[in-house]
Amino acid sequence: MKDKVVVITGANSGIGKAAALRFATEGYHVVMACRNMEISEAVQRQIKTESNNPHVDLMKIDVSSFESIRAFYSAYINKYPHLDILIHNAAYLNHGEKEYKLSPEHIEISFATNAFGPMLMTQLLADHLERSLDPRVLAACTTNIKNFFDPKRKIDFDNLRGEYQGTRRYSSYKMYGDSKMALLLLTFKMAEQFKSRGIKVNALQINRIRLSKETMRKLSPLWKGLAWLQNLTNPSPAGMAENYYHICTSDEFSQETGCLINHKREIVQPSISEKGFEQLKNIFGSSTYPQYATDRQTIEKIWSMGEELIRRNN
Ligand SMILES: NC(=O)c1ccc[n+]([C@@H]2O[C@H](COP(=O)([O-])OP(=O)(O)OC[C@H]3O[C@@H](n4cnc5c(N)ncnc54)[C@H](OP(=O)(O)O)[C@@H]3O)[C@@H](O)[C@H]2O)c1
């Protein structure tokens, strides 16, 4: 497997780290795409030792920055002739953050990191993915998108470039959910775009996973306390990393593209109804996603916004 290359963003903690270890243990050539090299070097050493696999590379990337993604891409194509698996695992969610923040290219930071960054990265690497016999892309989505079962919930398209910075109430949690919905819409669109090139693009609906100690360290005391309580019952990242591995390598998913897959590895379907008993099943179950994600106009809107931002910042 050492000729099979997998790139995992944010592979220095949590599910990304567990996935890097899983792939490395199976003998894959793993590229940890991370932003903090000091922390990540220690993790890279640990993964090499635990997996007994020397082919664990570490490359710098800040997924919130188009410039950094382009620098990563140049470095990657200089080093590797192809790419087999690309996992968009890194994400921005600063629990309790009330301040609206912008990326280097002046895009709201959650959208830059969780949606438009993965879009640019996939587009740039598409030629390299196409050289693989079985190229697969997986994006880490979340059950937070269930908030879109509420018919009033919409992506705030008018506030993704700082338009209302400091004047409209900012909720990092809402922006996180919106950006992950955007990631799902972009996943659907990229699956269509890359189908003829054999590149499969899917998303995984992650429910709840124990937060890593690295992530806990970033939290304010209040959120740290809440996360500590949740961590008592939340499962370890290893199980979700196993889902990454299965979706990206198994025969079961070799032909699937444009799907949202849940933590039980079932393909999630668009909801039939968002009223009454059906709505209760939507909210408490994990087998349906909001009709909002099927809206053609919304898919095209987020796609063209991403294209415009990428073009403008080239
Ligand atoms: N944990 C859960 O319960 C849960 C639930 C639903 C969905 N998810 C999703 O699952 C994925 C992994 O979650 P996790 O809990 O394992 O996360 P985590 O432990 O907090 O790890 C997130 C990783 O992303 C990296 N990252 C953040 N911003 C980045 C950027 N701009 N450029 C490069 N790397 C960046 C972080 O790097 P630094 O160390 O440098 O910050 C870290 O390595 C995320 O996409 C998350 O949204 C998680």
Side-chain angles (χ1 to χ4, degrees), residues 10 12-15 35-36 61-64 89-91 113 140-142 176 180 206-209 211-212 215 218 244:
N12 57 289
S13 77
I15 309 168
R35 65 176 166 182
N36 184 326
I61 193 167
D62 175 349
V63 186
S64 72
N89 166 76
T113 314
C141 197
T142 164
Y176 171 74
K180 289 287 187 176
I206 299 173
N207 47 352
R208 54 186 187 94
I209 293 297
L211 289 186
S212 61
T215 302
K218 294 180 210 160
Y244 283 14

PDB file of all heavy atoms in Angstrom, residues 10 12-15 35-36 61-64 89-91 113 140-142 176 180 206-209 211-212 215 218 244, ligand 1:
ATOM      1  N   GLY A  10      -5.562  18.482   8.899  1.00  0.00           N
ATOM      2  CA  GLY A  10      -5.789  18.500  10.352  1.00  0.00           C
ATOM      3  C   GLY A  10      -5.518  17.140  10.979  1.00  0.00           C
ATOM      4  O   GLY A  10      -6.267  16.689  11.848  1.00  0.00           O
ATOM      5  N   ASN A  12      -3.204  16.268  12.983  1.00  0.00           N
ATOM      6  CA  ASN A  12      -2.401  16.292  14.202  1.00  0.00           C
ATOM      7  C   ASN A  12      -3.220  16.086  15.481  1.00  0.00           C
ATOM      8  O   ASN A  12      -2.661  15.998  16.565  1.00  0.00           O
ATOM      9  CB  ASN A  12      -1.595  17.590  14.310  1.00  0.00           C
ATOM     10  CG  ASN A  12      -2.471  18.818  14.272  1.00  0.00           C
ATOM     11  OD1 ASN A  12      -3.022  19.136  13.220  1.00  0.00           O
ATOM     12  ND2 ASN A  12      -2.638  19.479  15.383  1.00  0.00           N
ATOM     13  N   SER A  13      -4.551  16.030  15.356  1.00  0.00           N
ATOM     14  CA  SER A  13      -5.335  15.751  16.572  1.00  0.00           C
ATOM     15  C   SER A  13      -6.658  15.096  16.214  1.00  0.00           C
ATOM     16  O   SER A  13      -7.038  15.028  15.040  1.00  0.00           O
ATOM     17  CB  SER A  13      -5.576  17.043  17.382  1.00  0.00           C
ATOM     18  OG  SER A  13      -6.585  17.813  16.780  1.00  0.00           O
ATOM     19  N   GLY A  14      -7.344  14.593  17.251  1.00  0.00           N
ATOM     20  CA  GLY A  14      -8.695  14.052  17.086  1.00  0.00           C
ATOM     21  C   GLY A  14      -8.834  12.969  16.025  1.00  0.00           C
ATOM     22  O   GLY A  14      -7.982  12.071  15.917  1.00  0.00           O
ATOM     23  N   ILE A  15      -9.910  13.081  15.242  1.00  0.00           N
ATOM     24  CA  ILE A  15     -10.227  12.041  14.255  1.00  0.00           C
ATOM     25  C   ILE A  15      -9.155  11.992  13.162  1.00  0.00           C
ATOM     26  O   ILE A  15      -8.790  10.915  12.689  1.00  0.00           O
ATOM     27  CB  ILE A  15     -11.621  12.290  13.621  1.00  0.00           C
ATOM     28  CG1 ILE A  15     -12.695  12.494  14.702  1.00  0.00           C
ATOM     29  CG2 ILE A  15     -12.018  11.123  12.714  1.00  0.00           C
ATOM     30  CD1 ILE A  15     -14.032  13.019  14.167  1.00  0.00           C
ATOM     31  N   ARG A  35      -1.220  22.730   9.971  1.00  0.00           N
ATOM     32  CA  ARG A  35      -0.715  24.113   9.986  1.00  0.00           C
ATOM     33  C   ARG A  35       0.325  24.364  11.069  1.00  0.00           C
ATOM     34  O   ARG A  35       1.183  25.202  10.917  1.00  0.00           O
ATOM     35  CB  ARG A  35      -1.864  25.111  10.106  1.00  0.00           C
ATOM     36  CG  ARG A  35      -2.619  25.038  11.390  1.00  0.00           C
ATOM     37  CD  ARG A  35      -3.675  26.103  11.499  1.00  0.00           C
ATOM     38  NE  ARG A  35      -4.558  25.749  12.608  1.00  0.00           N
ATOM     39  CZ  ARG A  35      -5.598  26.434  12.953  1.00  0.00           C
ATOM     40  NH1 ARG A  35      -5.918  27.511  12.297  1.00  0.00           N
ATOM     41  NH2 ARG A  35      -6.338  26.039  13.969  1.00  0.00           N
ATOM     42  N   ASN A  36       0.202  23.668  12.194  1.00  0.00           N
ATOM     43  CA  ASN A  36       1.156  23.910  13.280  1.00  0.00           C
ATOM     44  C   ASN A  36       2.240  22.825  13.247  1.00  0.00           C
ATOM     45  O   ASN A  36       2.035  21.711  13.711  1.00  0.00           O
ATOM     46  CB  ASN A  36       0.407  23.895  14.613  1.00  0.00           C
ATOM     47  CG  ASN A  36       1.314  24.238  15.781  1.00  0.00           C
ATOM     48  OD1 ASN A  36       2.501  23.903  15.784  1.00  0.00           O
ATOM     49  ND2 ASN A  36       0.752  24.911  16.763  1.00  0.00           N
ATOM     50  N   ILE A  61       0.021  23.361   5.701  1.00  0.00           N
ATOM     51  CA  ILE A  61      -1.128  23.988   5.026  1.00  0.00           C
ATOM     52  C   ILE A  61      -1.981  24.716   6.063  1.00  0.00           C
ATOM     53  O   ILE A  61      -2.154  24.238   7.189  1.00  0.00           O
ATOM     54  CB  ILE A  61      -2.001  22.929   4.279  1.00  0.00           C
ATOM     55  CG1 ILE A  61      -2.988  23.618   3.332  1.00  0.00           C
ATOM     56  CG2 ILE A  61      -2.754  22.028   5.245  1.00  0.00           C
ATOM     57  CD1 ILE A  61      -3.651  22.685   2.337  1.00  0.00           C
ATOM     58  N   ASP A  62      -2.482  25.878   5.676  1.00  0.00           N
ATOM     59  CA  ASP A  62      -3.533  26.527   6.448  1.00  0.00           C
ATOM     60  C   ASP A  62      -4.753  26.495   5.529  1.00  0.00           C
ATOM     61  O   ASP A  62      -4.798  27.216   4.524  1.00  0.00           O
ATOM     62  CB  ASP A  62      -3.136  27.963   6.802  1.00  0.00           C
ATOM     63  CG  ASP A  62      -4.259  28.718   7.496  1.00  0.00           C
ATOM     64  OD1 ASP A  62      -5.405  28.219   7.522  1.00  0.00           O
ATOM     65  OD2 ASP A  62      -3.999  29.829   7.997  1.00  0.00           O
ATOM     66  N   VAL A  63      -5.712  25.648   5.856  1.00  0.00           N
ATOM     67  CA  VAL A  63      -6.850  25.436   4.949  1.00  0.00           C
ATOM     68  C   VAL A  63      -7.739  26.672   4.828  1.00  0.00           C
ATOM     69  O   VAL A  63      -8.550  26.778   3.908  1.00  0.00           O
ATOM     70  CB  VAL A  63      -7.681  24.204   5.410  1.00  0.00           C
ATOM     71  CG1 VAL A  63      -8.773  23.871   4.417  1.00  0.00           C
ATOM     72  CG2 VAL A  63      -6.805  22.988   5.589  1.00  0.00           C
ATOM     73  N   SER A  64      -7.575  27.630   5.752  1.00  0.00           N
ATOM     74  CA  SER A  64      -8.403  28.843   5.661  1.00  0.00           C
ATOM     75  C   SER A  64      -7.824  29.840   4.658  1.00  0.00           C
ATOM     76  O   SER A  64      -8.446  30.858   4.382  1.00  0.00           O
ATOM     77  CB  SER A  64      -8.527  29.507   7.037  1.00  0.00           C
ATOM     78  OG  SER A  64      -7.303  30.123   7.399  1.00  0.00           O
ATOM     79  N   ASN A  89     -10.587  16.905   6.629  1.00  0.00           N
ATOM     80  CA  ASN A  89     -10.941  16.683   8.036  1.00  0.00           C
ATOM     81  C   ASN A  89     -10.826  17.963   8.877  1.00  0.00           C
ATOM     82  O   ASN A  89     -11.598  18.166   9.809  1.00  0.00           O
ATOM     83  CB  ASN A  89     -10.010  15.592   8.606  1.00  0.00           C
ATOM     84  CG  ASN A  89     -10.051  15.517  10.108  1.00  0.00           C
ATOM     85  OD1 ASN A  89     -11.000  14.993  10.704  1.00  0.00           O
ATOM     86  ND2 ASN A  89      -9.035  16.073  10.771  1.00  0.00           N
ATOM     87  N   ALA A  90      -9.879  18.827   8.552  1.00  0.00           N
ATOM     88  CA  ALA A  90      -9.644  20.043   9.348  1.00  0.00           C
ATOM     89  C   ALA A  90     -10.898  20.903   9.373  1.00  0.00           C
ATOM     90  O   ALA A  90     -11.645  20.954   8.392  1.00  0.00           O
ATOM     91  CB  ALA A  90      -8.489  20.848   8.754  1.00  0.00           C
ATOM     92  N   ALA A  91     -11.139  21.555  10.499  1.00  0.00           N
ATOM     93  CA  ALA A  91     -12.308  22.429  10.563  1.00  0.00           C
ATOM     94  C   ALA A  91     -12.091  23.534  11.575  1.00  0.00           C
ATOM     95  O   ALA A  91     -11.305  23.389  12.515  1.00  0.00           O
ATOM     96  CB  ALA A  91     -13.555  21.627  10.941  1.00  0.00           C
ATOM     97  N   THR A 113     -12.402  27.962   5.990  1.00  0.00           N
ATOM     98  CA  THR A 113     -11.751  26.716   6.424  1.00  0.00           C
ATOM     99  C   THR A 113     -12.576  25.485   6.044  1.00  0.00           C
ATOM    100  O   THR A 113     -12.026  24.474   5.595  1.00  0.00           O
ATOM    101  CB  THR A 113     -11.561  26.713   7.962  1.00  0.00           C
ATOM    102  OG1 THR A 113     -11.033  27.967   8.372  1.00  0.00           O
ATOM    103  CG2 THR A 113     -10.655  25.583   8.414  1.00  0.00           C
ATOM    104  N   ALA A 140     -15.505  15.862   6.017  1.00  0.00           N
ATOM    105  CA  ALA A 140     -16.077  15.655   7.360  1.00  0.00           C
ATOM    106  C   ALA A 140     -17.237  16.626   7.570  1.00  0.00           C
ATOM    107  O   ALA A 140     -17.037  17.823   7.755  1.00  0.00           O
ATOM    108  CB  ALA A 140     -14.997  15.865   8.418  1.00  0.00           C
ATOM    109  N   CYS A 141     -18.447  16.077   7.522  1.00  0.00           N
ATOM    110  CA  CYS A 141     -19.646  16.887   7.768  1.00  0.00           C
ATOM    111  C   CYS A 141     -20.108  16.626   9.214  1.00  0.00           C
ATOM    112  O   CYS A 141     -19.385  15.994   9.996  1.00  0.00           O
ATOM    113  CB  CYS A 141     -20.709  16.515   6.744  1.00  0.00           C
ATOM    114  SG  CYS A 141     -22.027  17.724   6.616  1.00  0.00           S
ATOM    115  N   THR A 142     -21.256  17.091   9.579  1.00  0.00           N
ATOM    116  CA  THR A 142     -21.684  16.982  10.973  1.00  0.00           C
ATOM    117  C   THR A 142     -23.204  16.900  11.102  1.00  0.00           C
ATOM    118  O   THR A 142     -23.926  17.405  10.225  1.00  0.00           O
ATOM    119  CB  THR A 142     -21.189  18.206  11.787  1.00  0.00           C
ATOM    120  OG1 THR A 142     -21.899  18.275  13.018  1.00  0.00           O
ATOM    121  CG2 THR A 142     -21.428  19.509  11.067  1.00  0.00           C
ATOM    122  N   TYR A 176     -20.646  27.723  11.972  1.00  0.00           N
ATOM    123  CA  TYR A 176     -20.059  26.387  11.776  1.00  0.00           C
ATOM    124  C   TYR A 176     -21.061  25.491  11.032  1.00  0.00           C
ATOM    125  O   TYR A 176     -20.715  24.857  10.031  1.00  0.00           O
ATOM    126  CB  TYR A 176     -19.714  25.792  13.141  1.00  0.00           C
ATOM    127  CG  TYR A 176     -19.303  24.332  13.128  1.00  0.00           C
ATOM    128  CD1 TYR A 176     -18.058  23.930  12.650  1.00  0.00           C
ATOM    129  CD2 TYR A 176     -20.168  23.338  13.624  1.00  0.00           C
ATOM    130  CE1 TYR A 176     -17.679  22.589  12.661  1.00  0.00           C
ATOM    131  CE2 TYR A 176     -19.800  22.001  13.645  1.00  0.00           C
ATOM    132  CZ  TYR A 176     -18.555  21.633  13.156  1.00  0.00           C
ATOM    133  OH  TYR A 176     -18.183  20.294  13.168  1.00  0.00           O
ATOM    134  N   LYS A 180     -20.722  23.936   7.259  1.00  0.00           N
ATOM    135  CA  LYS A 180     -20.734  22.486   7.001  1.00  0.00           C
ATOM    136  C   LYS A 180     -21.858  22.128   6.027  1.00  0.00           C
ATOM    137  O   LYS A 180     -21.728  21.198   5.235  1.00  0.00           O
ATOM    138  CB  LYS A 180     -20.870  21.712   8.317  1.00  0.00           C
ATOM    139  CG  LYS A 180     -19.615  21.757   9.195  1.00  0.00           C
ATOM    140  CD  LYS A 180     -18.492  20.903   8.626  1.00  0.00           C
ATOM    141  CE  LYS A 180     -17.313  20.811   9.580  1.00  0.00           C
ATOM    142  NZ  LYS A 180     -16.239  19.929   9.115  1.00  0.00           N
ATOM    143  N   ILE A 206     -20.735  13.198  10.825  1.00  0.00           N
ATOM    144  CA  ILE A 206     -20.152  12.806  12.114  1.00  0.00           C
ATOM    145  C   ILE A 206     -21.094  13.254  13.227  1.00  0.00           C
ATOM    146  O   ILE A 206     -21.591  14.388  13.203  1.00  0.00           O
ATOM    147  CB  ILE A 206     -18.743  13.434  12.254  1.00  0.00           C
ATOM    148  CG1 ILE A 206     -17.852  12.904  11.127  1.00  0.00           C
ATOM    149  CG2 ILE A 206     -18.143  13.150  13.632  1.00  0.00           C
ATOM    150  CD1 ILE A 206     -16.494  13.548  11.022  1.00  0.00           C
ATOM    151  N   ASN A 207     -21.351  12.356  14.170  1.00  0.00           N
ATOM    152  CA  ASN A 207     -22.256  12.748  15.255  1.00  0.00           C
ATOM    153  C   ASN A 207     -21.475  13.315  16.431  1.00  0.00           C
ATOM    154  O   ASN A 207     -21.155  14.488  16.459  1.00  0.00           O
ATOM    155  CB  ASN A 207     -23.202  11.611  15.647  1.00  0.00           C
ATOM    156  CG  ASN A 207     -22.488  10.283  15.812  1.00  0.00           C
ATOM    157  OD1 ASN A 207     -21.314  10.126  15.510  1.00  0.00           O
ATOM    158  ND2 ASN A 207     -23.189   9.299  16.313  1.00  0.00           N
ATOM    159  N   ARG A 208     -21.098  12.521  17.374  1.00  0.00           N
ATOM    160  CA  ARG A 208     -20.371  13.099  18.512  1.00  0.00           C
ATOM    161  C   ARG A 208     -19.173  12.222  18.816  1.00  0.00           C
ATOM    162  O   ARG A 208     -19.279  10.993  18.864  1.00  0.00           O
ATOM    163  CB  ARG A 208     -21.277  13.269  19.732  1.00  0.00           C
ATOM    164  CG  ARG A 208     -21.960  11.992  20.119  1.00  0.00           C
ATOM    165  CD  ARG A 208     -22.956  12.154  21.222  1.00  0.00           C
ATOM    166  NE  ARG A 208     -23.414  10.819  21.609  1.00  0.00           N
ATOM    167  CZ  ARG A 208     -22.888  10.112  22.578  1.00  0.00           C
ATOM    168  NH1 ARG A 208     -21.896  10.592  23.304  1.00  0.00           N
ATOM    169  NH2 ARG A 208     -23.337   8.897  22.860  1.00  0.00           N
ATOM    170  N   ILE A 209     -18.061  12.886  18.995  1.00  0.00           N
ATOM    171  CA  ILE A 209     -16.803  12.205  19.232  1.00  0.00           C
ATOM    172  C   ILE A 209     -16.090  12.936  20.360  1.00  0.00           C
ATOM    173  O   ILE A 209     -16.175  14.157  20.454  1.00  0.00           O
ATOM    174  CB  ILE A 209     -15.934  12.243  17.936  1.00  0.00           C
ATOM    175  CG1 ILE A 209     -16.577  11.411  16.826  1.00  0.00           C
ATOM    176  CG2 ILE A 209     -14.503  11.787  18.178  1.00  0.00           C
ATOM    177  CD1 ILE A 209     -16.701   9.939  17.132  1.00  0.00           C
ATOM    178  N   LEU A 211     -13.678  15.015  22.337  1.00  0.00           N
ATOM    179  CA  LEU A 211     -12.743  16.052  21.883  1.00  0.00           C
ATOM    180  C   LEU A 211     -11.345  15.715  22.374  1.00  0.00           C
ATOM    181  O   LEU A 211     -11.150  15.264  23.504  1.00  0.00           O
ATOM    182  CB  LEU A 211     -13.156  17.429  22.405  1.00  0.00           C
ATOM    183  CG  LEU A 211     -14.416  18.051  21.798  1.00  0.00           C
ATOM    184  CD1 LEU A 211     -14.599  19.470  22.303  1.00  0.00           C
ATOM    185  CD2 LEU A 211     -14.380  18.043  20.267  1.00  0.00           C
ATOM    186  N   SER A 212     -10.365  15.969  21.511  1.00  0.00           N
ATOM    187  CA  SER A 212      -8.980  15.657  21.866  1.00  0.00           C
ATOM    188  C   SER A 212      -8.475  16.643  22.911  1.00  0.00           C
ATOM    189  O   SER A 212      -9.003  17.750  23.046  1.00  0.00           O
ATOM    190  CB  SER A 212      -8.106  15.737  20.628  1.00  0.00           C
ATOM    191  OG  SER A 212      -8.153  17.045  20.101  1.00  0.00           O
ATOM    192  N   THR A 215      -7.614  19.980  21.428  1.00  0.00           N
ATOM    193  CA  THR A 215      -8.765  20.858  21.183  1.00  0.00           C
ATOM    194  C   THR A 215      -9.296  21.409  22.500  1.00  0.00           C
ATOM    195  O   THR A 215      -9.654  22.586  22.584  1.00  0.00           O
ATOM    196  CB  THR A 215      -9.863  20.078  20.424  1.00  0.00           C
ATOM    197  OG1 THR A 215      -9.285  19.598  19.217  1.00  0.00           O
ATOM    198  CG2 THR A 215     -11.049  20.942  20.093  1.00  0.00           C
ATOM    199  N   LYS A 218      -7.738  24.557  23.739  1.00  0.00           N
ATOM    200  CA  LYS A 218      -8.062  25.818  23.057  1.00  0.00           C
ATOM    201  C   LYS A 218      -9.339  26.464  23.625  1.00  0.00           C
ATOM    202  O   LYS A 218      -9.655  27.588  23.290  1.00  0.00           O
ATOM    203  CB  LYS A 218      -8.270  25.551  21.556  1.00  0.00           C
ATOM    204  CG  LYS A 218      -7.031  25.096  20.810  1.00  0.00           C
ATOM    205  CD  LYS A 218      -7.399  24.875  19.339  1.00  0.00           C
ATOM    206  CE  LYS A 218      -6.545  23.806  18.698  1.00  0.00           C
ATOM    207  NZ  LYS A 218      -7.119  23.221  17.485  1.00  0.00           N
ATOM    208  N   TYR A 244     -13.712   6.702   8.216  1.00  0.00           N
ATOM    209  CA  TYR A 244     -12.931   7.356   7.143  1.00  0.00           C
ATOM    210  C   TYR A 244     -12.260   6.256   6.303  1.00  0.00           C
ATOM    211  O   TYR A 244     -12.302   6.278   5.075  1.00  0.00           O
ATOM    212  CB  TYR A 244     -11.804   8.232   7.721  1.00  0.00           C
ATOM    213  CG  TYR A 244     -12.154   9.586   8.297  1.00  0.00           C
ATOM    214  CD1 TYR A 244     -13.452   9.968   8.600  1.00  0.00           C
ATOM    215  CD2 TYR A 244     -11.145  10.521   8.563  1.00  0.00           C
ATOM    216  CE1 TYR A 244     -13.728  11.221   9.151  1.00  0.00           C
ATOM    217  CE2 TYR A 244     -11.412  11.764   9.099  1.00  0.00           C
ATOM    218  CZ  TYR A 244     -12.699  12.119   9.400  1.00  0.00           C
ATOM    219  OH  TYR A 244     -12.970  13.352   9.940  1.00  0.00           O
TER     220      TYR A 244
HETATM  221  N1  LIG B   1     -15.578  15.859  17.440  1.00  0.00           N
HETATM  222  C1  LIG B   1     -16.863  15.831  17.131  1.00  0.00           C
HETATM  223  O1  LIG B   1     -17.727  15.531  17.965  1.00  0.00           O
HETATM  224  C2  LIG B   1     -17.304  16.181  15.725  1.00  0.00           C
HETATM  225  C3  LIG B   1     -18.682  16.185  15.437  1.00  0.00           C
HETATM  226  C4  LIG B   1     -19.089  16.504  14.157  1.00  0.00           C
HETATM  227  C5  LIG B   1     -18.160  16.789  13.171  1.00  0.00           C
HETATM  228  N2  LIG B   1     -16.832  16.778  13.481  1.00  0.00           N
HETATM  229  C6  LIG B   1     -15.876  17.117  12.407  1.00  0.00           C
HETATM  230  O2  LIG B   1     -14.839  16.146  12.365  1.00  0.00           O
HETATM  231  C7  LIG B   1     -13.620  16.742  11.975  1.00  0.00           C
HETATM  232  C8  LIG B   1     -12.543  16.441  12.991  1.00  0.00           C
HETATM  233  O3  LIG B   1     -13.011  16.849  14.265  1.00  0.00           O
HETATM  234  P1  LIG B   1     -12.136  16.653  15.591  1.00  0.00           P
HETATM  235  O4  LIG B   1     -13.056  16.770  16.751  1.00  0.00           O
HETATM  236  O5  LIG B   1     -11.280  15.480  15.453  1.00  0.00           O
HETATM  237  O6  LIG B   1     -11.286  17.987  15.529  1.00  0.00           O
HETATM  238  P2  LIG B   1      -9.991  18.479  16.305  1.00  0.00           P
HETATM  239  O7  LIG B   1      -9.412  17.449  17.209  1.00  0.00           O
HETATM  240  O8  LIG B   1     -10.344  19.817  16.870  1.00  0.00           O
HETATM  241  O9  LIG B   1      -9.001  18.676  15.083  1.00  0.00           O
HETATM  242  C9  LIG B   1      -9.227  19.641  14.127  1.00  0.00           C
HETATM  243  C10 LIG B   1      -7.970  19.703  13.302  1.00  0.00           C
HETATM  244  O10 LIG B   1      -8.178  20.674  12.278  1.00  0.00           O
HETATM  245  C11 LIG B   1      -7.026  21.469  12.233  1.00  0.00           C
HETATM  246  N3  LIG B   1      -7.301  22.770  11.671  1.00  0.00           N
HETATM  247  C12 LIG B   1      -8.201  23.692  12.073  1.00  0.00           C
HETATM  248  N4  LIG B   1      -8.125  24.772  11.302  1.00  0.00           N
HETATM  249  C13 LIG B   1      -7.164  24.523  10.382  1.00  0.00           C
HETATM  250  C14 LIG B   1      -6.629  25.255   9.308  1.00  0.00           C
HETATM  251  N5  LIG B   1      -7.058  26.484   9.016  1.00  0.00           N
HETATM  252  N6  LIG B   1      -5.661  24.690   8.553  1.00  0.00           N
HETATM  253  C15 LIG B   1      -5.198  23.460   8.832  1.00  0.00           C
HETATM  254  N7  LIG B   1      -5.657  22.719   9.847  1.00  0.00           N
HETATM  255  C16 LIG B   1      -6.626  23.254  10.613  1.00  0.00           C
HETATM  256  C17 LIG B   1      -6.568  21.568  13.666  1.00  0.00           C
HETATM  257  O11 LIG B   1      -5.222  21.996  13.681  1.00  0.00           O
HETATM  258  P3  LIG B   1      -4.577  22.847  14.900  1.00  0.00           P
HETATM  259  O12 LIG B   1      -4.136  21.848  15.907  1.00  0.00           O
HETATM  260  O13 LIG B   1      -3.459  23.576  14.229  1.00  0.00           O
HETATM  261  O14 LIG B   1      -5.662  23.759  15.412  1.00  0.00           O
HETATM  262  C18 LIG B   1      -6.758  20.129  14.101  1.00  0.00           C
HETATM  263  O15 LIG B   1      -5.674  19.354  13.694  1.00  0.00           O
HETATM  264  C19 LIG B   1     -13.906  18.230  11.822  1.00  0.00           C
HETATM  265  O16 LIG B   1     -14.161  18.532  10.475  1.00  0.00           O
HETATM  266  C20 LIG B   1     -15.163  18.432  12.644  1.00  0.00           C
HETATM  267  O17 LIG B   1     -15.936  19.517  12.189  1.00  0.00           O
HETATM  268  C21 LIG B   1     -16.380  16.492  14.727  1.00  0.00           C
END
